[in-house]
Amino acid sequence: MPFPSKACKTCKTRRVKCDETQPRCLRCVKADRVCYGMPPVGETDHVYHLENSFASGIKKRPRGPRPRPTPAIQPSLLSQIATQPPPPADLKSQAVEYYIQNHLRTLEDAPDLVRAVYDFPTLWSSLETYPILNLAVSSMALAVFSRAKNHPPAAIEATESYHRLLQLTQQTIFSLDENNIDICLLSIFFMGRYEQVIHCPNPSHFQLKFPLHSCVQSFSHHDGNLAILKSWKEHLSEKLPATDVIKRVRRGMIRSALLRNIALPEWIMDGSLFGEKGLELEYDCLVVRVVNIRERLITLGKEKMSQGQLSPESVDLAKQLDEQARVVDQALQEWTTQFPESWAYQRYTLSEPLSYPTTEFYSPKVLTYSSLSYVAVWNLYFGTRILINCSRVSILELAYPDDTEQLSTCLTAIDEMANDLASSIPFCRQNITITDGLDSDSDCKVVTINPDEHEEQHAAITTVWPLSIASGLSRVEVKPRSWFRAELARIGRMIYDSVLEGAEREEWLEL
């Protein structure tokens, strides 16, 4: 049956109601469109709707979508379908596989002192056995995958997974025993790493009023792991000796205290109770002493700032701290004399005429090592000596403000250690090549820039802690400190750590 329609074809195409104004409808005028197909005045344009059995009421229209005929598959396509690869795994599996292969690799022959907290490859093949660790790794993997592949759905799933992890952690943490404490420690470690991945690199004006360490959410998870370590020490240490997880997580807690300028609790100070031994125990004892020295130094600094000068008792304490810092610095130097000969480094000078510093090289001086594992130990030494000498400079200004000789000695040590740390970075980045000299009878070596550099991510990660120290100390010269911050930010972009990415900002960490 016919239904007269005087609407223009433009409105019909747009599927909007036409006011049928002649010769150009008002809707087209308002939208600034050409009004096509308006029938002449007095004529009608008919649209015919053919009635069927459903429209006439003979049959009842079925509910739901109407079935559509399935197109027949052409024989020529059958062979192509048969040879297609299997459908991809679900998003979580893809992310976890990517993360394990690219972000959980470690240095195979590394001394225990520089081994990563997550250096447990057997765990990653059996994640399904540990629900809380599976959620922790999945959250971290999805967050990293979303940034690496620019895949927003992975970020959404990461958030959902992380919220489930928080709920499960609250349930598990109250039932700690010797069977699950390692898994809980690792899970909370990954929770802290997750917070660093999603950390906002552009802080608000409110956040800029506070130190960086008060705005980074990962530190709350450090406190959580500290509580678990205390629970193990007080209730489980007799049943369960210190594991590698417990030992390495404790090292992270000491570093966290250094970054936040807070005191270490008494129960955590003895590294031998947490599995440290040999060279690792010697270094651990020295680092604990550094933390204690810096904590007391900060107290003295606050006293001078509030009262204008130190009391005689505080001056005596500052003198004692200076002697302790001097002894620690000397002990660090003696510690390196126990290193095996294979750990030693060699000094070389690049022959390429460059305008230093460059992005890859701070100076033409470079240090080379026989292994990436050994450079990690030396970088730890360089960073720690920078830290203790910077602390001693501040102490000398309080205790012996007129002793320029000792002050100059400390500043020289800081400069030397900063240069050695910067000279080790090219080897870590693997962008130098060592070849024999032209004279085959001599032992002369030539170091050249490698244009085909292939940096190992797990080697770069070992430089994060020394670079964090050197980049956060005002006693380090501005030029090397700026270079360290740029290198730290580059590593942050490589491992998708938003906190490290902000290393070049003015509000970066201050120790």
Side-chain angles (χ1 to χ4, degrees), residues 71-92:
I73 301 178
Q74 301 178 9
S76 59
L77 297 178
L78 293 176
S79 58
Q80 298 180 19
I81 295 175
T83 57
Q84 287 180 351
D90 63 281
L91 182 56
K92 172 190 167 184

Side-chain angles (χ1 to χ4, degrees), residues 75-370:
S76 59
L77 297 178
L78 293 176
S79 58
Q80 298 180 19
I81 295 175
T83 57
Q84 287 180 351
D90 63 281
L91 182 56
K92 172 190 167 184
S93 300
Q94 292 182 59
V96 170
E97 181 180 2
Y98 168 83
Y99 184 66
I100 291 176
Q101 291 181 356
N102 295 279
H103 293 265
L104 289 186
R105 293 180 59 199
T106 55
L107 299 172
E108 295 180 357
D109 58 342
D112 185 76
L113 182 62
V114 292
R115 285 194 174 273
V117 175
Y118 51 81
D119 191 4
F120 301 100
T122 55
L123 281 177
W124 315 135
S125 59
S126 55
L127 280 176
E128 298 296 336
T129 310
Y130 312 101
I132 187 172
L133 184 59
N134 187 19
L135 271 176
V137 174
S138 299
S139 301
M140 181 66 181
L142 286 161
V144 170
F145 188 82
S146 68
R147 295 190 57 185
K149 305 298 183 182
N150 193 21
H151 194 62
I156 296 173
E157 189 166 338
T159 303
E160 296 173 350
S161 180
Y162 185 69
H163 285 304
R164 293 197 300 271
L165 172 63
L166 290 174
Q167 297 174 357
L168 184 58
T169 303
Q170 292 174 354
Q171 299 171 7
T172 308
I173 204 169
F174 293 107
S175 58
L176 289 175
D177 56 38
E178 58 270 24
N179 297 317
N180 64 5
I181 189 167
D182 280 359
I183 300 301
C184 285
L185 287 171
L186 284 174
S187 300
I188 295 177
F189 165 80
F190 281 110
M191 291 167 70
R193 294 291 296 271
Y194 171 86
E195 294 285 0
Q196 291 187 216
V197 171
I198 67 169
H199 175 78
C200 177
N202 298 309
S204 64
H205 294 293
F206 175 78
Q207 290 175 316
L208 290 176
K209 298 179 181 179
F210 300 92
L212 177 68
H213 59 70
S214 65
C215 303
V216 178
Q217 295 297 321
S218 59
F219 284 128
S220 62
H221 297 300
H222 296 186
D223 294 336
N225 263 347
L226 191 65
I228 293 179
L229 287 178
K230 184 178 182 181
S231 178
W232 169 83
K233 179 70 170 53
E234 295 178 348
H235 306 293
L236 298 175
S237 56
E238 294 183 1
K239 300 179 183 178
L240 176 68
T243 63
D244 285 340
V245 174
I246 290 174
K247 176 174 60 179
R248 295 172 192 172
V249 167
R250 173 184 169 273
R251 292 173 185 170
M253 299 303 98
I254 295 175
R255 294 180 178 183
S256 177
L258 270 173
L259 291 177
R260 292 189 281 176
N261 294 319
I262 60 176
L264 283 173
E266 186 70 29
W267 58 266
I268 203 176
M269 291 187 182
D270 189 353
S272 63
L273 301 178
F274 292 84
E276 301 285 6
K277 56 185 178 181
L279 284 174
E280 290 80 13
L281 179 58
E282 290 186 35
Y283 176 78
D284 180 84
C285 292
L286 294 175
V287 172
V288 169
R289 291 170 68 181
V290 172
V291 176
N292 293 333
I293 290 172
R294 287 188 58 81
E295 191 271 332
R296 283 179 284 177
L297 170 61
I298 291 171
T299 302
L300 291 176
K302 291 179 179 178
E303 178 184 338
K304 184 176 182 180
M305 183 177 296
S306 62
Q307 301 183 8
Q309 62 180 3
L310 295 180
S311 64
E313 294 80 7
S314 296
V315 172
D316 291 338
L317 176 58
K319 293 179 179 179
Q320 295 175 19
L321 286 181
D322 175 62
E323 178 61 19
Q324 293 175 22
R326 187 193 65 79
V327 171
V328 169
D329 186 49
Q330 184 63 36
L332 277 168
Q333 298 174 64
E334 295 174 356
W335 177 64
T336 61
T337 62
Q338 304 177 55
F339 289 179
E341 292 184 6
S342 58
W343 293 15
Y345 56 80
Q346 301 293 327
R347 295 183 183 272
Y348 293 97
T349 302
L350 292 173
S351 57
E352 285 82 349
L354 302 175
S355 179
Y356 300 99
T358 68
T359 305
E360 296 83 9
F361 301 93
Y362 176 70
S363 74
K365 306 294 184 182
V366 294
L367 302 184
T368 64
Y369 303 78
S370 59

Side-chain angles (χ1 to χ4, degrees), residues 288-479:
V288 169
R289 291 170 68 181
V290 172
V291 176
N292 293 333
I293 290 172
R294 287 188 58 81
E295 191 271 332
R296 283 179 284 177
L297 170 61
I298 291 171
T299 302
L300 291 176
K302 291 179 179 178
E303 178 184 338
K304 184 176 182 180
M305 183 177 296
S306 62
Q307 301 183 8
Q309 62 180 3
L310 295 180
S311 64
E313 294 80 7
S314 296
V315 172
D316 291 338
L317 176 58
K319 293 179 179 179
Q320 295 175 19
L321 286 181
D322 175 62
E323 178 61 19
Q324 293 175 22
R326 187 193 65 79
V327 171
V328 169
D329 186 49
Q330 184 63 36
L332 277 168
Q333 298 174 64
E334 295 174 356
W335 177 64
T336 61
T337 62
Q338 304 177 55
F339 289 179
E341 292 184 6
S342 58
W343 293 15
Y345 56 80
Q346 301 293 327
R347 295 183 183 272
Y348 293 97
T349 302
L350 292 173
S351 57
E352 285 82 349
L354 302 175
S355 179
Y356 300 99
T358 68
T359 305
E360 296 83 9
F361 301 93
Y362 176 70
S363 74
K365 306 294 184 182
V366 294
L367 302 184
T368 64
Y369 303 78
S370 59
S371 169
L372 288 170
S373 301
Y374 307 148
V375 66
V377 179
W378 279 103
N379 284 342
L380 200 60
Y381 164 75
F382 298 145
T384 309
R385 279 207 67 199
I386 291 173
L387 179 62
I388 190 60
N389 278 280
C390 286
S391 302
R392 195 176 176 211
V393 168
S394 298
I395 296 171
L396 285 171
E397 291 177 345
L398 297 174
Y400 306 100
D402 300 325
D403 193 342
T404 57
E405 182 178 353
Q406 291 193 70
L407 189 64
S408 177
T409 300
C410 292
L411 292 174
T412 300
I414 294 170
D415 187 56
E416 290 177 353
M417 293 299 100
N419 285 328
D420 284 347
L421 176 59
S423 299
S424 295
I425 299 302
F427 184 85
C428 297
R429 295 180 62 166
Q430 297 177 276
N431 54 6
I432 56 174
T433 301
I434 307 172
T435 57
D436 294 326
L438 298 177
D439 188 356
S440 59
D441 296 332
S442 67
D443 295 332
C444 179
K445 302 288 185 181
V446 176
V447 178
T448 57
I449 298 176
N450 180 15
D452 301 322
E453 63 173 283
H454 180 66
E455 183 176 9
E456 296 287 346
Q457 186 183 100
H458 50 285
I461 291 176
T462 63
T463 66
V464 168
W465 175 243
L467 289 173
S468 298
I469 294 175
S471 66
L473 293 165
S474 60
R475 304 294 181 175
V476 178
E477 293 289 339
V478 173
K479 186 177 178 180

